[in-house]
Amino acid sequence: MKPTAFEYHAPTTVNEALALLAEHAPNDGRILAGGQSLVPTMAFRLARPTHLIDINQIVELEKLSVEDGALCIGATVRHAKFHTPACEGVLGDLLTEVVNNVAHYPIRQRGTFCGSLAHSDPASEWCMVAATLDATMIVQSASGERAIPADEFFDTVMTTTLNDDELLREVRIPLLSNDSVYGFQEFSRRAGDFAISMTLVTYRLEAGKIVDPHLGVGGAEDRPRRIAEAEAALAGQIPSDNVFRAAANAAAAAIDPMEDHATNAQYRRELTATLVRRALENTVS
Amino acid sequence: MATATNRMLGHLGDSVERLEDPPLVTGKGRFVGDINFPDQLHMRIVRSAHAHGTIKSIDTSAAEAFPGVIAVWTNADIDDVPPIDFREGSDPTLALFRQYPLARELVRYVGDPVAAVFAEDPYTAEDAAELVILNIDPLPILINADETPQDFMGKATTEAAVVEQGYGDIETTFANAHKIVEIDVKVSRHTGVPMECRGAIGRYDEARDVLEMYGAAKVPHRNRDTLCRMLNRPASGMHLFEGHTGGGFGIRGELYPEDVLVCVAAIRLGRPVKWIEDRQEHLMAANHSRQQRHIIRAAVAEDGEIVGLDDELYLDQGGYIRTHGTRVANMTTGTLPGPYRFPVYRSVCHFRLTNKTPAATYRSPGRCESTFVRERLMDAVAVAMDMDPIAVRRRNLISLEEMPYGRALDVLGDSVEHDPGDYAGLLDQGLAQIGWEDLQKQLEERRANGEMVGSGISMFFEKSGLGPSDGAKIFIDNTGCIEVVTGGASIGQGFETAMAQIAAEDLGTDYRRIRVVHGQTNRIDYGVGAHASRATVLTGTAVSLTAQAVRAKALDMAAELMQTTAESLTITDGAVHSKNNPTGPSLTLGEIAEALLPTSKIRGDREPYLKGEEWFHIDHQTYPYGHHIAVVKVDPDTGGVEIEKYFIAYDIGRSINPMMIEGQLVGGLAQGVGGALFEEFTYTEAGDPQAVTFADYLMPTLQETPEPEILLTEDFPSIRTPLGIKGAGEAGITGAAGAIASAIDNAIGIPGAVTETPVSPQRLKKILREHGK
Amino acid sequence: MSKKKDITLNINGRDHNLSVDPRWTLADTIRDHCGQTGTHLGCEHGVCGACTVLVDDSPVRSCLMFGIQADGKKIRTVEGLANGSEYHPLQKAFMENHALQCGYCTPGFLMLATGVLEAQPDISDDELNDVLSSNLCRCTGYANIIKAVRAAREEMRKTS
Ligand SMILES: Cc1cc2nc3c(=O)[nH]c(=O)nc-3n(C[C@H](O)[C@H](O)[C@H](O)COP(=O)(O)OP(=O)(O)OC[C@H]3O[C@@H](n4cnc5c(N)ncnc54)[C@H](O)[C@@H]3O)c2cc1C
Ligand code: FES
Ligand code: FES
């Protein structure tokens, strides 16, 4: 389980990194961020990059700040940064709750938020957060910059619409208003494992009724996404057990669950219904 | 026996700190990966990616040409090396099914070694190994041992053996039974998975014609003997060395293909050869274990007495038969009756090869499987007879009055004879300690409130101290340093500490002053190693007998020097003095050793040196016993199981170091929980293993592992050993799956629901769904 | 093989000047090229935690970093834990509480616990369980590891 040989580059500026990426991406040159997904994949020799462009020394990528109503998370911001709220308000609290489910403490010391999104494991909590909260990905290559909305970013299992020569420079998550509530649930076989299914829900109440519901599911399908059917079941309703169950059932019915050697579709679907219901219950408890 | 006045630290029964720990907490351990020799080569094994096929060709040319590669071998390069033999000697009926160090005509599982690459460093070796091209003609793949056996090389079928044990007239008993209760249950494929992967270093000293292997474990002496047979070497020219060992659990230390390869390569390539297994290899190459399906029925009398037990089982042996032969089949069929009487009994084991990783023993082999099966059956009988599960068990337990209780069953060549124990008495103590009656009320109340909670019990007996013999040597030099040399092995169980405590008892010294040698075949001729909970029982008794002999010799010499009688003397803190006058004149053990040097004038006609060597012989194994109780809570929505409470009762006979015994029980339980709820090697129809990473082979973390409450009794010291010791290595795991399964049934209110381990959330959800819950 | 690069690894205060292949993991670099074999490998894919070391005082998996990435960083391994002949409180607590059997996982647990107790001396029992659940032990069943780390937490609070 030793990685194949590669050339190592450690640029100190984004431009330098982009130039290296432009040069080496055609030969499977890749970004090395926290390495917490890439290095295991290399150990199994499933990934065999010929060049690694280590971005850990690029100071400008450490950015973690609120700009224009969004939390901006630079490419080298580690999971551990969210152990305490990264911003004031509901979003900061939400991320602090979620981060405890991302892998384990030592892995969170190195793994990055943006790396999770670029890697795009269907069961990544951050990917689900980004999808649910309509994050925007700011991606950059030597030839320019573009912004990709979350619903166009995640493609399928470990595949995004990021081009090989593009760096995911930062992710912007819109802040949540102070009257937003949220609920998060996931289920995995053991502590710290990738979840079999997970869900995140946020909404606000206006005159006692649910408005602006965002309900995302991760881990169950090949990519995380908002589930419109479940959101429709919530919008305009007064929170109640029945409403929550209806939304949970709508989510379960709407998804197309993955199957693998350990988990079949039926189990994932039932589990998703349970998790959605519980996440919704969390919003009122 | 130690008296209150001469009690130094570390006598029998003291929970002292371990001698093993200081190097291990400071990073000074010497595990096989930590050992390096100048000029060493690194070996990488090329493994079959096909589950079954005929080898058409293996192209090694690209690998051989790779810079840094010294040699690439296939079976053709070592066709004089025979297949790996059985530990207990050759067995013509099974010989056909043995594994060659490198596959010869066939590959029989994914992971089967087909070539070996020798290179300057491990990275290069792995690069080159990828270049070896294996050309296979596929053969039909057999995944399930309960399907029709297939042809094996035109010479046999994959049903390699049928192992049958029993006594009494099954047909009549079942024909006349009041009721017959039958179940069909499965134990999944899982195994020990120590945290350190395997490793071996071969080194040949041409000047002395000595072949050395580092990284030995468990049974270094037995493996030396097998290697000598296979490589045609004398024992004096073949040494195995055990270093620190990162867990054994039965699977590490068997003689594997890679061990043979590093030895052969060291001679033929003329350089030391190091092999360190990686985790992916480990999960497909090191022994698997446990996989069995039992169809078992009980003939029950009106009062709940089980008058007959009839079992048919399919044991999934995997691709080849390794060093154990049919041991697991023997132990399963020999121990299935457990602590119960069962006057008539038969168990027929279909010992079958499949196209999966070869299987062998894992901690509590045979007992873990059979205990799960038997205790599932006891629960089923309780339901069928409308009896309380505890009552059914009580009705059938062997009573103290019947002990020693022999039966016409064989366990590893030893006829089963239960040594005295009060199975029902320990059950009473256990139920009282856990407050069984109250517990049942609480659980009932909670169930009435909609919670899925329940309790379950599993009773078992263990076997330990497999004979026939073991010896030990003790040497005290003229500085007073005490060395105990054993043929035991240390796989993390605290062997050194236990042996030091035993020796300290008679040598009247602090256990910390004793050095214990184990696992070095050049230091002692014979050794049983560490398996079948043998070390403490057999080796410990040999050490005790040797320490007594050395003590007698020391006192005898001292008596002459002090002009008194040996009977009036004793040893405290390494010095001999008068029993009546502890502060009076004394002689240190070093001074006595000085007087016993070959050149000493005062030695008289005593044998030189303060040393001794004694042997211990045992006719029957000892059978410690106990039970497990689990309380679980099931989440009906996710199918998740939480173990709320766990209890283990165990009669150890006599404990050397209770802290270490409890450590064995708690650690064993963690593995038991793994087998019951998490761990499983699954395969696709094409024979591809699906659990070859730690993300797929799920071992419990501390969040999933309950801390058990333990009742450790010393009510019945073994009558087979002078110290009364019984083994403790396996009791934490044996009852776990049975107790947890029983508790899950109880929690979900579906008797007999659990028929298969591990009880994954998905499996449990399916059960609940099928029962409309 | 790719081009080697010169780096300096500072392990337990001592500089090791090396020429490394970029693909050598930090674990292999420490073990095979700096002679510090106290750091163990149990999986090489990030799950078991046996390889945990402190890099600039954070506990990380040394199998998931390349040696070259640690150039100029401060690395602490189990070999540096004791102060001369004086055991670190965690080492002492592990021995007193029988928190190891084979000892293979021990260096990883010790470094993980050191990192987290230094950063959060007042960490709660629950949080501690969560942190410690990142590492696997196959021998002890964890109960004594929990006891040992809690005992060391009290001890370290007293002395700090
Ligand atoms: C034992 C274990 C358990 C884990 N459990 C979880 C879990 O429960 N939930 C979870 O979400 N994750 C889990 N992870 C993964 C972990 O969170 C990773 O940190 C994360 O997936 C990837 O981030 P990274 O910074 O380490 O990326 P890397 O491993 O460095 O890179 C991953 C991939 O993304 C690319 N990449 C990285 N950053 C960028 C960028 N800025 N722009 C373009 N491409 C980029 C790389 O080229 C590579 O292909 C686990 C990991 C381990 C080892
Ligand atoms: S060896 Fe690094 S986590 Fe297992
Ligand atoms: S003590 Fe052996 S793995 Fe932890």
Side-chain angles (χ1 to χ4, degrees):
Chain A
M1 291 186 53
K2 310 295 184 194
T4 52
F6 57 83
E7 293 280 335
Y8 176 79
H9 310 271
T12 53
T13 65
V14 169
N15 284 340
E16 226 183 303
L18 295 176
L20 285 162
L21 202 49
E23 183 185 346
H24 298 300
N27 304 315
D28 201 6
R30 295 207 202 174
I31 301 285
L32 171 63
Q36 305 299 291
S37 291
L38 181 56
V39 182
T41 323
M42 289 172 68
F44 290 115
R45 298 198 167 201
L46 297 171
R48 316 166 72 98
T50 53
H51 290 262
L52 282 189
I53 299 150
D54 182 349
I55 57 172
N56 286 287
Q57 294 177 35
I58 305 177
V59 179
E60 53 193 301
L61 293 177
E62 289 168 16
K63 169 176 173 186
L64 181 61
S65 58
V66 174
E67 283 168 29
D68 301 332
L71 178 67
C72 305
I73 304 167
T76 59
V77 172
R78 318 239 178 236
H79 305 321
K81 277 277 184 205
F82 300 92
H83 284 160
T84 50
C87 59
E88 281 179 16
V90 179
L91 180 61
D93 293 341
L94 182 157
L95 297 175
T96 304
E97 179 173 336
V98 171
V99 72
N100 287 322
N101 296 276
V102 180
H104 289 282
Y105 183 87
I107 291 162
R108 299 199 287 265
Q109 304 299 316
R110 294 227 25 106
T112 65
F113 188 100
C114 290
S116 288
L117 268 56
H119 185 64
S120 187
D121 189 297
S124 150
E125 287 80 5
W126 293 146
C127 292
M128 182 183 67
V129 166
T132 309
L133 302 183
D134 294 338
T136 303
M137 320 303 163
I138 309 299
V139 311
Q140 200 176 349
S141 71
S143 50
E145 180 181 308
R146 58 185 181 125
I148 313 177
D151 62 354
E152 291 169 19
F153 184 76
F154 301 109
D155 199 4
T156 177
V157 179
M158 294 185 194
T159 316
T160 66
T161 53
L162 201 62
N163 294 324
D164 289 346
D165 65 346
E166 281 177 324
L167 169 74
L168 174 56
R169 202 190 68 210
E170 98 183 34
V171 173
R172 296 188 183 156
I173 310 178
L175 295 182
L176 291 167
S177 64
N178 283 339
D179 57 347
S180 298
V181 292
Y182 69 89
F184 167 78
Q185 283 282 316
E186 72 167 48
F187 183 79
S188 57
R189 295 281 302 272
R190 293 179 305 179
D193 281 349
F194 278 109
I196 299 173
S197 179
M198 60 171 99
T199 185
L200 173 69
V201 56
T202 70
Y203 60 81
R204 289 182 299 111
L205 287 180
E206 270 176 20
K209 295 199 173 133
I210 295 175
V211 293
D212 195 19
H214 287 233
L215 191 151
V217 170
E221 299 182 297
D222 62 353
R223 67 199 161 96
R225 63 179 177 109
R226 287 175 66 176
I227 309 293
E229 294 83 345
E231 290 175 352
L234 291 171
Q237 304 293 325
I238 298 168
S240 73
D241 205 35
N242 280 343
V243 168
F244 292 167
R245 277 178 196 279
N249 292 337
I255 61 171
D256 177 16
M258 288 185 293
E259 301 231 14
D260 56 45
H261 70 91
T263 312
N264 62 32
Q266 185 175 19
Y267 178 70
R268 272 214 166 86
R269 198 184 294 283
E270 288 177 1
L271 182 63
T272 302
T274 296
L275 297 176
V276 170
R277 177 173 51 76
R278 288 183 182 174
L280 284 164
E281 284 162 8
N282 286 354
T283 62
V284 292
S285 65
Chain B
M1 245 6 61
T3 61
T5 50
N6 72 350
R7 203 167 166 81
M8 270 76 47
L9 203 49
H11 285 263
L12 293 187
D14 288 350
S15 286
V16 291
E17 283 179 35
R18 303 193 321 160
L19 295 176
E20 288 84 350
D21 291 354
L24 294 172
V25 298
T26 50
K28 298 195 182 102
R30 298 287 282 161
F31 295 86
V32 59
D34 307 340
I35 298 169
N36 294 295
F37 293 103
D39 205 31
Q40 71 193 5
L41 291 172
H42 295 265
M43 179 176 81
R44 175 81 188 171
I45 300 296
V46 181
R47 298 181 183 278
S48 172
H50 305 265
H52 196 196
T54 312
I55 300 176
K56 284 179 68 185
S57 64
I58 306 173
D59 181 355
T60 59
S61 54
E64 276 167 52
F66 196 79
V69 171
I70 302 302
V72 182
W73 285 358
T74 65
N75 184 281
D77 297 282
I78 49 163
D79 62 357
D80 55 328
V81 178
I84 297 171
D85 214 353
F86 305 114
R87 191 158 75 206
E88 303 302 323
S90 49
D91 181 340
T93 62
L94 302 176
L96 178 65
F97 307 104
R98 292 172 301 173
Q99 181 172 23
Y100 283 93
L102 292 172
R104 179 167 284 198
E105 290 157 58
L106 296 179
V107 292
R108 294 203 34 88
Y109 62 98
V110 172
D112 202 346
V114 293
V117 174
F118 304 92
E120 298 288 351
D121 73 277
Y123 285 75
T124 306
E126 192 165 338
D127 292 344
E130 291 188 313
L131 304 176
V132 173
I133 300 162
L134 174 66
N135 195 347
I136 296 277
D137 252 350
L139 288 168
I141 290 159
L142 185 61
I143 292 300
N144 299 314
D146 52 3
E147 281 170 22
T148 316
Q150 285 180 359
D151 168 70
F152 190 93
M153 300 185 75
K155 296 176 186 155
T157 75
T158 52
E159 181 160 280
V162 176
V163 175
E164 175 168 350
Q165 297 213 56
Y167 46 78
D169 179 353
I170 285 283
E171 275 70 28
T172 314
T173 307
F174 276 81
N176 298 331
H178 165 72
K179 205 167 227 166
I180 294 174
V181 180
E182 179 174 314
I183 58 171
D184 181 345
V185 291
K186 289 182 192 160
V187 181
S188 81
R189 185 169 260 261
H190 58 285
T191 194
V193 193
M195 288 314 298
E196 182 198 17
C197 290
R198 293 177 299 141
I201 306 172
R203 180 167 174 247
Y204 180 56
D205 180 345
E206 201 175 342
R208 296 185 300 138
D209 186 26
V210 171
L211 180 59
E212 301 177 339
M213 193 194 101
Y214 298 79
K218 184 179 176 180
V219 283
H221 284 85
R222 308 304 300 274
N223 288 349
R224 176 203 55 194
D225 295 345
T226 311
L227 279 168
C228 286
R229 269 205 318 274
M230 289 177 64
L231 305 180
N232 204 7
R233 297 191 64 79
S236 55
M238 175 89 238
H239 297 325
L240 270 61
F241 302 107
E242 177 193 48
H244 281 113
T245 303
F249 315 123
I251 75 125
R252 182 200 298 284
E254 288 303 323
L255 192 65
Y256 284 98
E258 300 86 355
D259 302 317
V260 179
L261 288 168
V262 295
C263 289
V264 175
I267 295 182
R268 300 195 186 173
L269 301 177
R271 292 171 66 176
V273 176
K274 180 171 181 172
W275 173 72
I276 298 296
E277 184 181 51
D278 70 36
R279 185 56 71 184
Q280 195 172 19
E281 289 185 283
H282 181 91
L283 293 171
M284 61 171 104
N287 288 340
H288 286 184
S289 195
R290 297 280 198 260
Q291 191 166 17
Q292 297 184 355
R293 174 183 172 198
H294 289 247
I295 297 156
I296 186 169
R297 46 189 199 129
V300 194
E302 236 162 311
D303 64 351
E305 186 189 359
I306 298 174
V307 291
L309 198 68
D310 186 17
D311 174 46
E312 180 157 36
L313 77 118
Y314 301 90
L315 186 153
D316 184 337
Q317 171 56 28
Y320 299 97
I321 304 183
R322 283 183 170 166
T323 44
H324 286 96
T326 56
R327 243 166 198 255
V328 176
N330 172 269
M331 286 190 275
T332 305
T333 53
T335 61
L336 177 63
Y340 307 109
R341 209 173 292 110
F342 302 146
V344 172
Y345 169 68
R346 172 171 71 188
S347 176
V348 181
C349 172
H350 300 274
F351 185 80
R352 290 180 175 175
L353 271 60
T354 56
N355 296 114
K356 299 192 279 193
T357 298
T361 58
Y362 164 35
R363 197 175 200 171
S364 194
R367 283 92 73 201
C368 228
E369 300 88 326
S370 65
T371 296
F372 174 73
V373 171
R374 180 188 65 241
E375 295 300 308
R376 288 280 67 201
L377 183 66
M378 297 308 283
D379 282 350
V381 170
V383 174
M385 302 300 292
D386 198 16
M387 280 174 80
D388 178 77
I390 305 269
V392 169
R393 286 171 168 86
R394 277 193 204 283
R395 179 69 191 82
N396 290 284
L397 285 174
I398 302 167
S399 69
L400 180 55
E401 293 69 43
E402 295 166 279
M403 307 274 185
Y405 186 85
R407 10 182 165 224
L409 293 177
D410 170 273
V411 174
L412 308 179
D414 183 21
S415 72
V416 175
E417 193 180 290
H418 294 241
D419 43 357
D422 187 358
Y423 300 167
L426 185 63
L427 181 59
D428 292 336
Q429 289 183 56
L431 294 178
Q433 177 158 336
I434 197 167
W436 181 258
E437 299 295 328
D438 283 349
L439 177 69
Q440 297 311 311
K441 274 193 213 111
Q442 287 160 19
L443 292 174
E444 241 156 67
E445 244 165 64
R446 289 174 64 189
R447 280 194 294 266
N449 288 329
E451 278 187 273
M452 280 192 174
V453 284
S455 62
I457 187 165
S458 160
M459 301 193 68
F460 62 93
F461 85 138
E462 256 304 332
K463 54 159 276 299
S464 61
L466 177 63
S469 304
D470 199 19
K473 299 197 245 187
I474 295 180
F475 186 92
I476 305 181
D477 71 13
N478 58 350
T479 68
C481 173
I482 303 171
E483 187 180 57
V484 176
V485 182
T486 72
S490 176
I491 44 179
Q493 79 280 45
F495 178 80
E496 292 174 29
T497 305
M499 294 306 118
Q501 285 186 255
I502 291 172
E505 180 80 17
D506 289 303
L507 295 176
T509 169
D510 192 303
Y511 79 113
R512 287 170 296 191
R513 296 187 37 190
I514 297 176
R515 303 165 75 103
V516 178
V517 174
H518 51 82
Q520 314 297 310
T521 63
N522 61 343
R523 294 296 315 277
I524 190 165
D525 300 328
Y526 178 87
V528 295
H531 66 122
S533 289
R534 259 172 159 175
T536 322
V537 180
L538 251 75
T539 315
T541 307
V543 166
S544 172
L545 296 175
T546 308
Q548 285 166 28
V550 172
R551 176 190 179 92
K553 187 165 184 182
L555 295 184
D556 174 58
M557 184 74 243
E560 182 173 324
L561 297 172
M562 298 167 85
Q563 297 181 353
T564 174
T565 60
E567 293 70 43
S568 68
L569 296 174
T570 188
I571 316 179
T572 309
D573 210 8
V576 176
H577 59 86
S578 160
K579 279 181 186 161
N580 302 326
N581 187 6
T583 54
S586 68
L587 275 176
T588 66
L589 289 172
E591 287 164 339
I592 297 168
E594 177 84 29
L596 283 165
L597 287 176
T599 49
S600 162
K601 299 235 162 41
I602 45 181
R603 170 166 61 85
D605 51 9
R606 294 176 186 86
E607 285 277 302
Y609 293 119
L610 182 49
K611 66 169 188 173
E613 172 169 1
E614 295 295 328
W615 286 79
F616 173 59
H617 309 282
I618 190 169
D619 324 324
H620 284 296
Q621 307 184 63
T622 80
Y623 294 95
Y625 56 93
H627 55 268
H628 285 197
I629 294 173
V631 178
V632 307
K633 177 171 174 175
V634 170
D635 179 338
D637 293 328
T638 62
V641 175
E642 182 197 335
I643 300 173
E644 288 190 346
K645 194 181 177 80
Y646 207 93
F647 176 78
I648 301 175
Y650 191 57
D651 191 87
I652 182 71
R654 172 123 190 248
S655 55
I656 311 277
N657 184 323
M659 170 189 86
M660 296 199 312
I661 291 164
E662 293 195 4
Q664 288 293 309
L665 296 181
V666 179
L669 173 62
Q671 291 184 314
V673 169
L677 297 177
F678 296 99
E679 297 171 33
E680 183 172 23
F681 290 112
T682 54
Y683 284 78
T684 64
E685 286 295 305
D688 287 321
Q690 292 173 305
V692 293
T693 77
F694 272 178
D696 298 299
Y697 189 79
L698 306 179
M699 302 194 292
T701 77
L702 72 70
Q703 299 283 25
E704 291 78 41
T705 307
E707 180 179 1
E709 186 180 329
I710 291 173
L711 168 64
L712 194 62
T713 60
E714 299 184 288
D715 294 344
F716 288 88
S718 172
I719 55 168
R720 318 260 188 242
T721 64
L723 293 173
I725 314 171
K726 306 178 192 174
E730 309 183 289
I733 195 170
T734 313
I740 292 169
S742 180
I744 292 173
D745 280 4
N746 186 233
I748 63 180
I750 308 171
V754 175
T755 57
E756 185 176 4
T757 60
V759 191
S760 66
Q762 180 169 301
R763 280 193 180 128
L764 193 46
K765 266 306 260 187
K766 180 159 178 273
I767 293 170
L768 292 167
R769 199 185 302 125
E770 283 167 0
H771 288 82
K773 296 214 177 193
Chain C
M1 187 174 307
S2 41
K3 265 204 309 274
K4 289 207 175 162
K5 292 205 178 163
D6 292 340
I7 63 162
T8 301
L9 281 195
N10 184 287
I11 306 177
N12 302 320
R14 178 173 142 211
D15 278 343
H16 298 256
N17 298 313
L18 310 166
S19 184
V20 298
D21 184 335
R23 62 167 161 163
W24 291 349
T25 62
L26 177 59
D28 282 348
T29 314
I30 296 172
R31 287 176 48 78
D32 297 338
H33 303 278
C34 303
Q36 308 297 300
T37 56
T39 300
H40 295 156
L41 287 170
C43 71
E44 295 181 281
H45 55 280
V47 184
C48 77
C51 66
T52 308
V53 301
L54 300 182
V55 174
D56 289 342
D57 299 327
S58 298
V60 301
R61 310 288 213 220
S62 64
C63 70
L64 297 189
M65 251 182 103
F66 296 106
I68 198 167
Q69 294 185 281
D71 188 8
K73 296 205 187 313
K74 201 176 98 196
I75 298 160
R76 289 160 65 195
T77 68
V78 67
E79 286 95 338
L81 211 47
N83 184 358
S85 62
E86 199 182 311
Y87 290 120
H88 186 278
L90 273 159
Q91 291 173 316
K92 229 193 269 164
F94 267 59
M95 293 193 280
E96 285 170 4
N97 290 282
H98 188 29
L100 62 150
Q101 289 183 26
C102 78
Y104 197 75
C105 68
T106 310
F109 272 103
L110 287 171
M111 298 322 288
L112 172 65
T114 301
V116 75
L117 291 181
E118 283 177 4
Q120 293 165 256
D122 295 318
I123 189 168
S124 70
D125 286 354
D126 279 352
E127 282 176 292
L128 204 48
N129 281 356
D130 186 50
V131 171
L132 295 175
S133 73
S134 84
N135 285 20
L136 294 173
C137 172
R138 195 60 165 165
C139 298
T140 64
Y142 304 104
N144 288 343
I145 294 179
I146 300 175
K147 282 179 208 146
V149 177
R150 288 183 187 171
R153 176 185 59 194
E154 308 314 319
E155 195 57 37
M156 285 167 75
R157 271 191 204 145
K158 266 190 246 158
T159 51
S160 66

